Amino acid sequence: MTEPDPADADIEEVNPESQAATRNLVFAAAERLFAVHGFQKVSVRDITAEAGVNLASVNYHFGSKDALLLEIFRRRTAELNRARARILHEATDKHQGHPPVRAILEALIGPPVRWLDPNGERLISLQFIIRSRSEGTEEMRAALRHDVSHLRRFADALLAARPELAPEDVYWRLHFVLGMLHNNRFAEFDRLHTLSEGLTREEDFEGLVKRMVDFAEAGFLR
Amino acid sequence: MTEPDPADADIEEVNPESQAATRNLVFAAAERLFAVHGFQKVSVRDITAEAGVNLASVNYHFGSKDALLLEIFRRRTAELNRARARILHEATDKHQGHPPVRAILEALIGPPVRWLDPNGERLISLQFIIRSRSEGTEEMRAALRHDVSHLRRFADALLAARPELAPEDVYWRLHFVLGMLHNNRFAEFDRLHTLSEGLTREEDFEGLVKRMVDFAEAGFLR
DNA sequence: TCTAAATCCAAACACTCGTTCGACCCGGGT
DNA sequence: ACCCGGGTCGAACGAGTGTTTGGATTTAGA
């Protein structure tokens, strides 16, 4: 078993782009290919060819293909969690420590849906995160259980906002909302568009946030 | 309305266990391994070892690994669609051709959630279907677009039940409900249980159906 | 019982995969 | 000048992949 694992300290020590240009090239190419084609279908040779670097670069800079995958996963989920926590924190301040259900749901739903905007640079990262939920390595699922500590704040806030509900009801409904979010894949949107015959288009992402928050809020206020 | 669909004829021609015993062994082993470990992580050798048959059996009876995958997918989705359509049909008869939102949602949500019962024999098939949505072959995604013809009836029924809503609103909310359903994976339940510290348990599946229908109905009646 | 088709089996084929190795290049410090 | 170490490179290794093959074996029909 290899157990040194210096991965934690690495994130903070990443210099912007002073050195290790090929490292960033590999990181970006891998994230894009993984997000579009899936983890198992993308080989190390695909990544290095896309990045225009040597085949051995992946193992030299990241140790292994799985370690590269894990590093992308950790960075992107940390960013998403930070964006969510910031909005929840602001809502908590604004409402004297007890934000209403709608504000909590906006903090949960807003960031990942805004990342769907193809004009931004976050769409690929979001697709990567969603894909890692079903295709991830064993290490990544272990990290997903640690991610529960992040959901804890949202669950507690919802429990406080709806004290008359049985806690299990709150947990189940939170589970439903997360399901709505994780379903925002390319293929699912395509099916929706063909089903509605082009009537639905996800151009207006603030409007989509409102749609989802409306739907989820109704389920919570019932 | 619906096309001949060659998959249906296949099912009827399958003699229970008179002939082709190894074919059924391969089918069952493959479905189980694919559902648990994912499509790419399971090799033909894993399947034949699990089934206790020769390595060449997969290619002899099904042509290729992908063809085996596609046949499992077609049979299980056809079964799920038939169960849903039957309940929707009954509800349509009972309500003189215009079932309310709740009855439509029960026909959509009921069957897949009831399949989650580990006491039944459907849990593996459902996990297979859910997994095929994100890891499927190119042929399977083509079949998923054809599956829109099945959702058509549910979309039309919902449009008729809520004529005062803009059609795009109905389509989006149907998309949200499908997201809730496709999120019912092993890993997601595990996370929910650790988050709620064992408070939520999916033992009572009729209760879970009611929970989901309640949540979805609230979003539609808003 | 004999024959021919269907099925099974061990072995091999022709890849692709992630990873490793040893030689090189090149800029900076003693 | 030396060399030394991080970085790059082509090449190869060993393991694992889906599929094919040709002969044995079983099965079904006359």
Side-chain angles (χ1 to χ4, degrees), chain B residues 9-31:
Chain B
D10 286 341
I11 297 177
E12 306 180 38
E13 289 180 352
V14 162
N15 284 345
E17 39 195 316
S18 61
Q19 296 175 344
T22 79
R23 195 188 143 95
N24 294 346
L25 285 174
V26 168
F27 187 98
E31 180 180 31

Side-chain angles (χ1 to χ4, degrees), chain B residues 190-207:
Chain B
D190 285 348
R191 191 180 57 163
L192 172 64
H193 295 341
T194 60
L195 180 63
S196 71
E197 290 164 353
L199 210 61
T200 61
R201 266 178 270 170
E202 76 277 17
E203 328 172 309
D204 176 19
F205 293 91
E206 289 305 324

Side-chain angles (χ1 to χ4, degrees), chain A residues 133 152 169 195 211, chain B residues 41 152 169 188 195 211:
Chain A
R133 197 161 290 277
R152 178 85 275 141
D169 286 336
L195 181 63
R211 262 181 222 283
Chain B
K41 291 181 182 174
R152 181 80 277 141
D169 286 335
E188 308 293 335
L195 180 63
R211 262 183 223 283

Side-chain angles (χ1 to χ4, degrees), chain A residues 128-201:
Chain A
F128 182 96
I129 291 176
I130 293 178
R131 209 176 264 276
S132 64
R133 197 161 290 277
S134 54
E135 305 175 43
T137 321
E138 198 51 45
E139 280 182 287
M140 295 171 65
R141 310 206 181 173
L144 276 180
R145 290 179 211 125
H146 203 333
D147 185 64
V148 172
S149 66
H150 166 255
L151 283 178
R152 178 85 275 141
R153 307 190 228 183
F154 288 89
D156 289 342
L158 287 170
L159 288 167
R162 302 285 295 156
E164 73 280 14
L165 281 181
E168 59 198 70
D169 286 336
V170 175
Y171 285 118
W172 274 114
R173 296 177 193 188
L174 175 58
H175 172 74
F176 298 154
V177 174
L178 294 175
M180 292 169 50
L181 283 174
H182 300 155
N183 200 40
N184 286 340
R185 281 178 287 250
F186 289 132
E188 307 293 334
F189 278 139
D190 284 348
R191 190 180 58 163
L192 173 63
H193 295 340
T194 61
L195 181 63
S196 72
E197 291 165 351
L199 210 60
T200 61
R201 266 179 270 169

Side-chain angles (χ1 to χ4, degrees), chain B residues 69-88:
Chain B
L69 218 99
L70 186 62
E71 179 161 332
I72 302 174
F73 171 77
R74 277 222 257 255
R75 187 185 304 187
R76 297 315 186 198
T77 51
E79 288 171 357
L80 178 59
N81 290 344
R82 220 175 296 134
R84 278 172 160 170
R86 189 175 53 79
I87 299 183
L88 179 62

